Amino acid sequence: DGGITQSPKYLFRKEGQNVTLSCEQNLNHDAMYWYRQDPGQGLRLIYYSQIVNDFQKGDIAEGYSVSREKKESFPLTVTSAQKNPTAFYLCASSISYGGLAEYEQYFGPGTRLTVT
Amino acid sequence: LAKTTQPISMDSYEGQEVNITCSHNNIATNDYITWYQQFPSQGPRFIIQGYKTKVTNEVASLFIPADRKSSTLSLPRVSLSDTAVYYCLVGEDTGFQKLVFGTGTRLLVSP
């Protein structure tokens, strides 16, 4: 069964701690993305990666970091520099970067992060 | 990306057809129109995409008038499980275009 997995589903951390959210896909997609969603709001792009060993900042990259060492994995680290880290985090992938195929993004189930 | 405007919420009953209209007055020649569906605490799911006239798949239809300044997502005979938020996105088919999700339309389907 192909898809995107994110773990854990719920994550709790103390303020000041870094935390890494996992995202794995077995769809053989080149492009991967991280979004943040706050209650009642749409999604905002944090980082995206077109291909292995390459990634770009999205609209709200401050306080976050990513890596793309493998095609199937795109972990997101929420650092202590992120002022309001509590949110719902969604990972997505698409067949390719650019073009119509990019608009059909496949999303994972999300990780709800709570920082107190 | 062209800005889109959708109703904040809509109500319907099971078995009815639901039409959600999205306004995108500044749509550019190369822009496509894409719709996503999101259930609570889940990631969005791609529904349909189109450029002009009408597109239909097993889930929905997308109607786009000649001037392309608006589009209508049509959900035939909705069920309770169609209760979700629906997002309209507009973007180009060249290079990377960020998916910009607005607040979407919250559809509530009642028995």
Side-chain angles (χ1 to χ4, degrees):
Chain A
D1 231 2
I4 300 179
T5 57
Q6 291 185 244
S7 60
K9 191 170 178 62
Y10 298 95
L11 192 53
F12 299 88
R13 279 293 183 272
K14 294 289 187 184
E15 199 173 312
Q17 293 179 333
N18 291 354
V19 59
T20 297
L21 281 59
S22 167
C23 177
E24 304 277 333
Q25 55 99 357
N26 60 3
L27 300 167
N28 200 32
H29 286 173
D30 287 316
M32 296 187 74
Y33 314 82
W34 273 105
Y35 294 89
R36 168 187 173 134
Q37 187 172 35
D38 293 290
Q41 303 299 311
L43 283 69
R44 291 185 289 168
L45 182 65
I46 305 173
Y47 267 98
Y48 63 96
S49 169
Q50 303 166 239
I51 200 166
V52 175
N53 293 321
D54 180 75
F55 50 83
Q56 307 293 331
K57 292 182 179 180
D59 296 321
I60 55 166
E62 186 175 348
Y64 300 98
S65 66
V66 293
S67 63
R68 187 86 186 277
E69 297 176 1
K70 298 186 295 182
K71 186 175 185 177
E72 56 271 20
S73 179
F74 191 40
L76 173 75
T77 297
V78 184
T79 75
S80 56
Q82 168 50 233
K83 298 193 186 313
N84 297 298
T86 295
F88 187 47
Y89 290 88
L90 287 157
C91 178
S93 69
S94 63
I95 291 174
S96 64
Y97 161 94
L100 281 181
E102 167 205 309
Y103 290 98
E104 186 163 356
Q105 291 187 9
Y106 295 76
F107 284 81
T111 292
R112 192 167 297 280
L113 173 65
T114 301
V115 176
T116 58
Chain B
L1 287 176
K3 183 178 178 180
T4 61
T5 303
Q6 306 174 231
I8 293 174
S9 63
M10 294 182 67
D11 295 318
S12 183
Y13 293 97
E14 281 189 294
Q16 291 188 334
E17 178 184 74
V18 171
N19 295 308
I20 304 175
T21 297
C22 178
S23 173
H24 27 80
N25 291 316
N26 297 322
I27 192 168
T29 303
N30 293 332
D31 285 347
Y32 281 73
I33 300 153
T34 307
W35 286 79
Y36 276 78
Q37 173 193 56
Q38 186 180 26
F39 298 113
S41 297
Q42 293 186 27
R45 181 176 72 108
F46 174 93
I47 301 176
I48 198 166
Q49 182 174 67
Y51 182 79
K52 62 180 179 182
T53 62
K54 176 184 174 182
V55 180
T56 298
N57 61 23
E58 64 277 7
V59 176
S61 294
L62 179 60
F63 298 91
I64 305 167
D67 67 5
R68 303 200 328 120
K69 293 184 182 300
S70 67
S71 59
T72 299
L73 175 72
S74 181
L75 305 172
R77 297 179 299 282
V78 294
S79 63
L80 297 178
S81 63
D82 291 316
T83 293
V85 177
Y86 293 83
Y87 297 97
C88 166
L89 295 84
V90 174
E92 291 183 40
D93 178 25
T94 52
F96 178 75
Q97 292 293 331
K98 295 173 287 190
L99 288 187
V100 179
F101 290 81
T103 52
T105 297
R106 193 170 299 273
L107 173 65
L108 175 63
V109 180
S110 300

